[in-house]
Structures are given as C-alpha cells and as structure tokens.
Amino acid sequence: MVSILRYIFFFSLIFLLGCKKAEFTLNFNLEKDVTENYNVTYYAAAIKGGLTVQSVASVREGKCLLKGTTVLPTMVDIFTRRSSFPLVLIASKGSEIKISGEGNDPLGWNVEGDKINEELSAWRLENLHSLRENETDSVNQAVRNFVEGNRENPVSTILMLCYYNREADENGYSELMASLKGEARNEQWLHILARTDQLLHHYSYPAGLESLVMRSMKEGADTLTADSKNPIFLLIWQSGYSDKNNMVDSIKALGKEYPDSVRIIADIFADIDSVAWKNAIRRDSLDFIKRFWAPLSLADPTLQKLKVKGLPYFIVFSPDGAQSYRGTDLSEAMTRYRRLLDGEEEDSVTNL
C-alpha cells in the first residue's frame, strides 16, 4: 500500500512539474490608482493542437500576477472594451513578462522580458497617439516604416498581422508581406500568431494571369492570355458605374498613346443584365479592347480566383502575368500600366 502511494505521489509530482514548465507569468506593476479588470486572450498552443483561453487580469492598486499555460510560444492580447487595439505580446513557457506604466490604457504600458516584446513595446509607445485614435493611414505607415527597415525581424510579421489594416490598403499589405524574409518568414511565427486568415504560410495571394476564357460579345467566348512581352490592363465594372465615362476616355487615351502591338486591354461587365452590357459596349465604341461578361458578378469563379473585392475594380498584370496593381483607383491603375508599357521596373504584388 505504501509503495502504491509512493508511485502515485511520484507521478503526481512529475505531472505538476510538467505543468509548471508550461506556464508563463504576466507581472503587472502599474500606478497605484489603476484598479480594473483586463481581458487577456491567448492560444494555449501544444504540439498537437490547443485551445483559445480567455482570462481576466484583475489589477488592484496597480498590482496583478497572472499565470497562463502554453507548451509552445503564443501571442497574448490584453485589452478592454474601450481599446481600439490590443496590447500584443509574445509569451513562452517559463516566460516572466513584466508590464509597467501609467494610466489604465494597456496601449500605453511598457513590456519587458525579451527583445521581441521590448521592440513591440517600443514601436507601440512611439505610435501611441495613432493607435489610440485608430488613425488607419498613420498606423499602416508606421508599420510600413518598421517593416521596410526590418524585413528579417519577426516583429515585422507580428506588426503586419496585428496592426496593419489590410482592407484599407490591400496592395500595400501584399507588397509588405511578400517582402518579409529570413526569420520573419519562419513557420514558427505563423503558428504563434494563429491568424489563419492572414498567415504567410496559408496566405492566398491573388492569382496571376495565365489564360482566362469568358463570354464575349463577338465570338460567344474569348480568351485573355498573359503576354510574355507586354502588360495587360483589366477593368471590371457593372451597370450604374458613375465614372464610366472617365474610364472610357482613359482607355481611348491609351489607345492613342500606344500602338496595338504593345497594349492589351480588356474589360469585364460583372452584372446579370446582358441588355445593359450590350447597350453599354455599343455606345462606348471601344472596339480595340476585349469585352467579357460575368453574369454571376463577384461570384464568378474567375473573379474569385483573381480576388476581386468590389466593383469597379482594376487589375494591371505585368508581362509574366503577375498582378502589379489591384484596386479601385483608376488613376493609380493607369499610372502603373503606363510605367509597365514604358518599360519601367515594377515589383508585382504577388511575388512571394
């Protein structure tokens, strides 16, 4: 009986020691007037899966000691309902992370414990005003400034996935993500961040152009194929496009500037109304471009593959078929297309 109890004690001790090794500690040392509960969320990562943990740091008179459990390194978010952005930090088993600062806003706190957390903290404090005011353009620019000077630093990966507003600048997001290299592209960081919609490892870049076949007016169906020598300008729109006249004038201007041998232009009418499509292309007299029709609109498989986000939408393909520009700005698309026609070098947003 005594022997059995010894075995039970021994294995229980091993289990407890194992659990202890899988812990990390957040040590809050704030001003004494800070008494508040803070949401703490992280993914308790293990070799075979894990689970999301939602905890509370109950800070009383500036003090709190919160323990978390994880086998693998994980990202921790600290925030309140009032937070525009969370305080983001990286924790590993055995980590002792010190959190200090003034006020009750986590964005304004300082984090110490290792180089990555200290660099994240320094960036956040430097851009505190933009983060608190949720100034999208300023925050995106601050992330860009860091990434461009630290392309191999995993802090760049963290900033991109946690603070960069992808919807506001999809082209910029794609270009910066594609520019990361070295340790910043290490697969472990992808698992740590646990953001399956944005992970570099799974990030679905907009498809390049090889060859697409769609309905057309003249032949019933037509093909648009990447040209190894010349770029392609693709315009996607639907009935009710208020700036269509400007689009038509811009295409006609390109027709006058560049000969047929170098320019390849096509448009896709993404609307169920075939009558409106036929009437529109008869009136605009753009006889020198390819005209396609996608009656399923954004649900069309080709448009989904190209990741068209809305209408109107403009895509410029480099000669190798990679997307050099994608977005809603006709002027910017025209500028990019002209640069490619003139032989200027342009990085594609799809290179990885």
Side-chain angles (χ1 to χ4, degrees):
M1 181 68 177
V2 174
S3 178
I4 293 175
L5 290 175
R6 283 180 179 174
Y7 277 114
I8 292 173
F9 174 78
F10 176 73
F11 285 113
S12 297
L13 181 60
I14 291 177
F15 176 76
L16 290 172
L17 288 174
C19 289
K20 185 176 181 181
K21 290 180 180 179
E23 286 184 347
F24 64 88
T25 302
L26 303 182
N27 191 346
F28 295 79
N29 186 17
L30 308 170
E31 290 183 319
K32 288 187 177 181
D33 62 351
V34 178
T35 295
E36 190 168 343
N37 292 331
Y38 293 92
N39 297 316
V40 178
T41 301
Y42 65 94
Y43 185 75
I47 294 174
K48 295 183 178 180
L51 72 159
T52 299
V53 176
Q54 295 179 329
S55 185
V56 175
S58 184
V59 178
R60 295 295 176 263
E61 295 185 350
K63 304 292 185 180
C64 178
L65 190 66
L66 181 68
K67 292 185 179 294
T69 302
T70 190
V71 174
L72 302 176
T74 186
M75 181 182 74
V76 180
D77 287 344
I78 303 175
F79 57 96
T80 68
R81 292 182 179 180
R82 303 183 301 274
S83 301
S84 52
F85 288 94
L87 182 160
V88 175
L89 58 87
I90 302 298
S92 305
K93 64 178 183 179
S95 294
E96 295 184 5
I97 299 168
K98 298 178 181 179
I99 302 173
S100 60
E102 302 176 352
N104 57 9
D105 180 6
L107 284 174
W109 297 342
N110 185 54
V111 178
E112 297 176 285
D114 57 53
K115 184 178 179 181
I116 286 180
N117 281 317
E118 288 165 6
E119 287 188 4
L120 279 171
S121 187
W123 178 89
R124 177 170 36 76
L125 293 175
E126 182 180 347
N127 298 284
L128 185 57
H129 176 77
S130 297
L131 290 168
R132 280 177 171 167
E133 298 300 320
N134 198 12
E135 298 174 346
T136 298
D137 291 344
S138 296
V139 173
N140 280 1
Q141 186 59 50
V143 174
R144 173 178 288 276
N145 292 341
F146 187 93
V147 172
E148 288 180 342
N150 301 274
R151 299 192 187 279
E152 298 187 24
N153 190 336
V155 172
S156 294
T157 312
I158 298 168
L159 293 179
M160 284 297 302
L161 297 179
C162 296
Y163 291 110
Y164 199 93
N165 189 318
R166 175 179 176 178
E167 292 183 358
D169 183 18
E170 185 178 351
N171 294 313
Y173 178 89
S174 298
E175 290 168 356
L176 287 174
M177 290 292 275
S179 74
L180 297 177
K181 56 186 179 180
E183 182 61 21
R185 296 178 62 82
N186 191 312
E187 189 168 328
Q188 71 162 329
W189 296 108
L190 311 180
H191 294 302
I192 287 172
L193 292 164
R195 299 282 291 275
T196 56
D197 62 325
Q198 295 184 348
L199 295 185
L200 279 175
H201 186 60
H202 298 291
Y203 181 70
S204 179
Y205 281 83
L209 178 67
E210 295 179 357
S211 179
L212 66 85
V213 179
M214 299 185 74
R215 300 185 191 186
S216 72
M217 178 68 73
K218 294 181 178 179
E219 306 297 334
D222 201 354
T223 303
L224 182 65
T225 305
D227 188 309
S228 61
K229 297 180 180 179
N230 302 310
I232 297 173
F233 191 13
L234 179 63
L235 308 97
I236 306 149
W237 57 286
Q238 64 183 170
S239 58
Y241 176 31
S242 60
D243 206 27
K244 181 175 183 290
N245 290 337
N246 180 44
M247 182 183 78
V248 171
D249 291 343
S250 298
I251 297 174
K252 288 180 177 179
L254 284 173
K256 293 179 180 179
E257 287 181 59
Y258 299 93
D260 294 342
S261 59
V262 298
R263 57 168 163 72
I264 303 174
I265 304 173
D267 77 334
I268 299 175
F269 183 76
D271 198 309
I272 194 172
D273 190 347
S274 62
V275 175
W277 173 49
K278 293 175 182 178
N279 289 337
I281 64 177
R282 286 193 185 106
R283 287 196 300 267
D284 61 35
S285 66
L286 293 174
D287 299 329
F288 59 91
I289 74 172
K290 287 181 175 288
R291 317 301 300 259
F292 296 101
W293 179 37
L296 295 179
S297 190
L298 295 181
D300 182 271
T302 297
L303 300 191
Q304 290 188 335
K305 185 178 179 181
L306 296 174
K307 293 198 173 296
V308 176
K309 299 296 185 180
L311 298 172
Y313 210 76
F314 311 105
I315 303 177
V316 176
F317 297 94
S318 57
D320 64 359
Q323 294 192 27
S324 179
Y325 173 85
R326 50 183 282 107
T328 59
D329 190 329
L330 175 61
S331 178
E332 178 62 25
M334 297 285 292
T335 298
R336 185 70 62 92
Y337 187 57
R338 281 190 171 91
R339 288 176 180 171
L340 288 170
L341 286 171
D342 293 337
E344 297 181 20
E345 293 291 333
E346 288 287 352
D347 291 332
S348 104
V349 302
T350 59
N351 286 341
L352 181 58

